[in-house]
Amino acid sequence: MDAVTTSTATAAVTTWRLDTANRTAVFASFDNGVPALVHFGTRLNSEERLETIAALSVPNISGGQLDPLVPLSLIPTAMTGWQGHPGFITHAGDPSAVPDLFLRTVDERDDNGLTFVVADRISQAAIEIAIRLYSDSELMSLTVFPLGDMADPFDWLALSIPVPPDMSRIVDHGGRWCGEFQRKESRFGIGQHVRESREGRSGHAHFPGITFMADSASKTDGHCMAVSLCWSGGHKIVAEQLPDGRRHVQLGIANDQPLNAWIRPIEIWLAWSNRGMNDLTHALTGKTRQTLPRKPQRPVHYNCWEAVYFRHNVDELKAIASMAAELGAERFVLDDGWFKGRDDDTTSLGDWVVDDDKFPEGLGPLVDHVRECGMEFGIWFEPEMVNKSSDLYAAHPDWVLGAQHQPAGRNQFVLDLSKPGVSEYLFDAISKIVEDHHVTYIKWDHNRVLTGGTPRQTHELYNLMRRLNDAHPQLEIESCASGGGRIDYGILHYTTRVWLSDSNDALERLRMQHEAGLWLPPEVQGSHVGPRVCHTSGRVFSMGFRAWVAAQRHMGFEMDPRELTEDERRMLRGVTDWYKANRDFLFSARYHRLESNDPEVLAELFVGADKGRFIAFKGQAGTSSAIAASAFLLSGIDADAIYRLRLINPEVVPSTTNRYTGSHLMSGAPIELSGRALMCGALRLPNAFPATMMVVEGERLDHPT
């Protein structure tokens, strides 16, 4: 069902509504002020009195407050009497310039959305707010954009989204290098909860999204809401509770300099659910898949970084490529170290020409060998960066972003993409390598934070990536920034994959992937089988665990294949073959994170569109506190169907486990259960050692026996 727009008006309140099959959004303008979002959630009746809903969104008058209390508009300002964080802050150099906004125009011609233009009564500066409610994902996008240059600079412009009163829990995802997407939960109290990244990219520590949950909400049930900023630069999130009890959240650009205008509209995605966080995931991932620049095939990667680092030798790389292909790799990625003089991380960034010493005949012989092995060829770039020890810096020291005396980061500096000639140079240099060597994939890295910079840097990055996508239809770009330092819905308009973390530690990956699954489709998350001894943690895991963790996402290898034992080789090849046979199903299925009832178990479920098939993963991180493994409830399957289930890797069941009577599941034999029983917790998988994965396939029976 397509979204529809209707509007009503009274003497003081004008309202508009957008509808899909299951959602309604209601906006209201009080006395021609900036519209407010007064309802977003379950679909309302067609005869609903919207003006009454709008009126009841404003609290009663009480002592010690202005008379009357004011609505929470999309851009609240102090001029109206709003006492919370303002949505529009002019430059601090002119404290008298407090915005006084009113609704200038409304465009209702689009059945799927609304466009409001609000203006300042004093300066006449105008701001456009565009809203769209998508019927397929039931996600709402809101964009804000200053129209033309503003005469007075401003420091902050953001839309305010009301947080429903039953959602007291605040869930953030952040972390650090090699520890991204850590879940952090807090609660509303009077005052502000602030998350901010000022490093010129979305950052490891602060994914630009936030979730609100009711006390009873879980992954599979209850009321919750997710909000995310589609932006790859510095950002700030403010969640606030006022003394009158109202709660709201603002998401906007963090910037060190006052602005007169933005280069592009800034978009926010908003999802609401009354059936737990999995519904949020379905809305967010459904919309993400639509924004990707192209539909990728998800070939198995081999990346040479943790095998050779900067030590590139043609014969050695050919031998590794042959072994990777035998293991099932379909794309060979040449990582850092291939370009002129690049023997360590102190030199050569910016000189995007092939190193003649390492590759005396150019990349051609290696690329030809890779293709003869049946693999595509991919390559690493870090386009936005430069070393001072480079030909590029010697020729253009003025291309560096920021002051000359700024500190280095990983021995490198940032190129100012807004300066004339910089983006053109990078486009030409990258395009030459892509065209000369039939490159189908770029790992696009970004290994240092910015010391200064404006939204224009991010805008120019988007422009450069868009030009490359348009010029090279076969090309896929992965966003990497020391791992997960630039993952957001803005960058996913131009890339088809994100490198979730520089950690190939399978246990760390298991947890990170599970939490990132709230926000990101499984197929955009690159996940590689690392070395036997993890290079970032020093831990050792079995090949089975490493391989199955990678097979949950876009699978690859990143180790020296010469270290593998015959048993490891056999296991890796087997899981890789399984991944190839099942990736089309996995990446078209509906993804569910399950409540495992055990903090050491991370369970996920992939359910086909017709509910005829599912694949369940039970990742055992550590030792469970209970003697027996907890049951977990499946979700999203056909309750009335009978499913035949099979544990496809029974070798992970400990030999000491008591093989209880009544089930042959642990030995790999099939069992049959109804969907209703599975959704009520009938599936109890056996105990498992830490750092193991169990994989269960289920298939609906047309004629149950």
Side-chain angles (χ1 to χ4, degrees), residues 173-184 195 199 201-207 449 481-487 499-505 507-509 511-512 534 536-537 539:
H173 284 92
R176 54 171 173 79
W177 177 73
C178 281
E180 294 87 339
F181 282 95
Q182 297 178 32
R183 185 182 189 276
K184 302 176 182 178
R195 298 292 298 272
E199 59 185 63
R201 58 187 185 183
S202 33
H204 296 85
H206 305 290
F207 175 78
V449 302
S482 299
R486 187 160 62 193
I487 296 176
W499 187 230
L500 201 64
S501 177
D502 277 344
S503 171
N504 277 325
D505 180 303
L507 188 57
E508 293 174 349
R509 276 280 179 160
R511 294 188 184 278
M512 280 188 275
C534 178
T536 56
S537 70
R539 293 194 289 196

Side-chain angles (χ1 to χ4, degrees), residues 549-679:
V549 169
Q552 289 183 293
R553 301 298 190 263
H554 184 188
M555 186 180 189
F557 320 146
E558 192 161 345
M559 91 293 274
D560 190 336
R562 296 169 295 187
E563 78 171 18
L564 299 179
T565 67
E566 190 56 40
D567 285 345
E568 289 173 328
R569 191 181 306 277
R570 187 181 304 111
M571 173 63 72
L572 179 55
R573 180 72 209 213
V575 177
T576 303
D577 288 346
W578 181 91
Y579 168 82
K580 290 179 179 180
N582 289 278
R583 61 186 160 194
D584 288 345
F585 172 79
L586 287 173
F587 301 149
S588 62
R590 180 157 280 207
Y591 166 79
H592 300 255
R593 298 185 307 151
L594 300 180
E595 294 291 349
S596 67
N597 307 304
D598 183 342
E600 296 301 331
V601 172
L602 292 97
E604 300 183 347
L605 182 70
F606 294 75
V607 182
D610 64 354
K611 302 184 180 181
R613 184 183 177 211
F614 66 79
I615 298 174
F617 294 89
K618 178 195 175 189
Q620 184 81 35
T623 302
S624 297
S625 59
I627 294 174
S630 296
F632 51 87
L633 284 62
L634 301 195
S635 176
I637 61 176
D638 184 349
D640 295 324
I642 299 295
Y643 288 92
R644 177 173 290 147
L645 282 68
R646 186 172 67 91
L647 177 64
I648 67 170
N649 59 337
E651 67 275 5
V652 302
V653 179
S655 59
T656 55
T657 297
N658 178 27
R659 298 183 179 273
Y660 54 85
T661 304
S663 173
H664 304 289
L665 185 67
M666 288 187 290
S667 63
I671 63 171
E672 295 178 8
L673 286 168
S674 72
R676 184 165 281 105
L678 290 167
M679 296 171 78

Side-chain angles (χ1 to χ4, degrees), residues 479-551:
S479 175
C480 174
S482 299
R486 187 160 62 193
I487 296 176
D488 53 79
Y489 296 131
I491 206 69
L492 283 168
H493 280 74
Y494 307 94
T495 61
T496 59
R497 190 181 199 252
V498 296
W499 187 230
L500 201 64
S501 177
D502 277 344
S503 171
N504 277 325
D505 180 303
L507 188 57
E508 293 174 349
R509 276 280 179 160
L510 178 69
R511 294 188 184 278
M512 280 188 275
Q513 290 174 183
H514 189 73
E515 289 301 325
L518 166 64
W519 302 100
L520 303 172
E523 68 270 22
V524 308
Q525 302 175 43
S527 186
H528 292 176
V529 180
R532 185 182 302 118
V533 179
C534 178
H535 290 192
T536 56
S537 70
R539 293 194 289 196
V540 178
F541 298 106
S542 71
M543 175 55 75
F545 184 57
R546 286 181 278 157
W548 281 117
V549 169

Side-chain angles (χ1 to χ4, degrees), residues 294 421-428 430-431 435 444 459-473 475 477 494:
R294 56 183 53 91
V422 177
S423 288
E424 198 66 33
Y425 165 77
L426 293 173
F427 175 82
D428 291 343
I430 294 169
S431 292
E435 292 165 0
W444 187 299
H459 170 71
E460 295 298 340
L461 166 69
Y462 290 163
N463 279 345
L464 176 57
M465 285 185 165
R466 186 185 66 248
R467 287 186 65 194
L468 289 165
N469 278 316
D470 291 345
H472 308 289
L475 184 66
I477 301 175
Y494 307 94

Side-chain angles (χ1 to χ4, degrees), residues 34-35 70-80 82-89 99 101 156 158-161 240 248 250:
V34 177
V70 297
L72 168 58
S73 72
L74 290 171
I75 307 178
T77 62
M79 181 65 74
T80 64
W82 174 251
Q83 298 297 295
H85 193 279
F88 186 31
I89 303 175
L101 301 176
W156 176 254
L159 297 178
S160 278
I161 307 298
E240 181 178 41
H248 71 119
Q250 293 178 9

Side-chain angles (χ1 to χ4, degrees), residues 242-430:
L242 273 65
D244 60 39
R246 286 181 290 179
R247 299 164 177 166
H248 71 119
V249 61
Q250 293 178 9
L251 302 89
I253 290 176
N255 186 61
D256 292 326
Q257 302 174 14
L259 300 170
N260 287 86
W262 285 346
I263 306 298
R264 59 190 298 116
I266 296 302
E267 185 175 14
I268 292 169
W269 286 0
L270 174 61
W272 175 90
S273 169
N274 60 354
R275 296 188 299 181
M277 297 181 78
N278 281 335
D279 263 16
L280 301 180
T281 295
H282 301 154
L284 294 163
T285 58
K287 184 67 172 70
T288 303
R289 286 168 173 152
Q290 296 171 8
T291 67
L292 299 178
R294 56 183 53 91
K295 183 175 176 59
Q297 299 304 309
R298 307 303 173 197
V300 177
H301 277 212
Y302 175 77
N303 185 293
C304 70
W305 176 245
E306 294 198 23
V308 299
Y309 291 102
F310 296 106
R311 192 189 70 254
H312 286 200
N313 174 276
V314 176
D315 291 337
E316 186 179 9
L317 288 168
K318 285 182 178 179
I320 289 173
S322 295
M323 298 179 75
E326 291 171 1
L327 292 166
E330 299 165 300
R331 177 182 282 160
F332 181 93
V333 180
L334 188 65
D335 211 290
D336 193 356
W338 59 267
F339 48 99
K340 181 181 177 182
R342 183 68 164 178
D343 295 322
D344 56 38
D345 65 5
T346 66
T347 182
S348 302
L349 281 178
D351 297 343
W352 302 114
V353 293
V354 178
D355 190 315
D356 291 336
D357 292 334
K358 296 177 182 177
F359 300 93
E361 299 178 66
L363 292 179
L366 175 61
V367 175
D368 290 344
H369 180 78
V370 165
R371 293 169 68 84
E372 289 168 3
C373 290
M375 296 186 290
E376 302 175 17
F377 183 71
I379 199 164
W380 180 95
F381 281 96
E382 194 169 3
E384 300 153 81
M385 302 296 164
V386 66
N387 292 121
K388 287 191 174 180
S389 176
S390 67
D391 294 344
L392 182 65
Y393 182 81
H396 298 285
D398 57 310
W399 281 6
V400 168
L401 176 69
Q404 288 294 321
H405 62 273
Q406 66 180 287
R410 199 177 181 245
N411 303 299
Q412 62 196 54
F413 297 83
V414 183
L415 293 172
D416 187 341
L417 300 182
S418 69
K419 288 189 174 180
V422 177
S423 288
E424 198 66 33
Y425 165 77
L426 293 173
F427 175 82
D428 291 343
I430 294 169

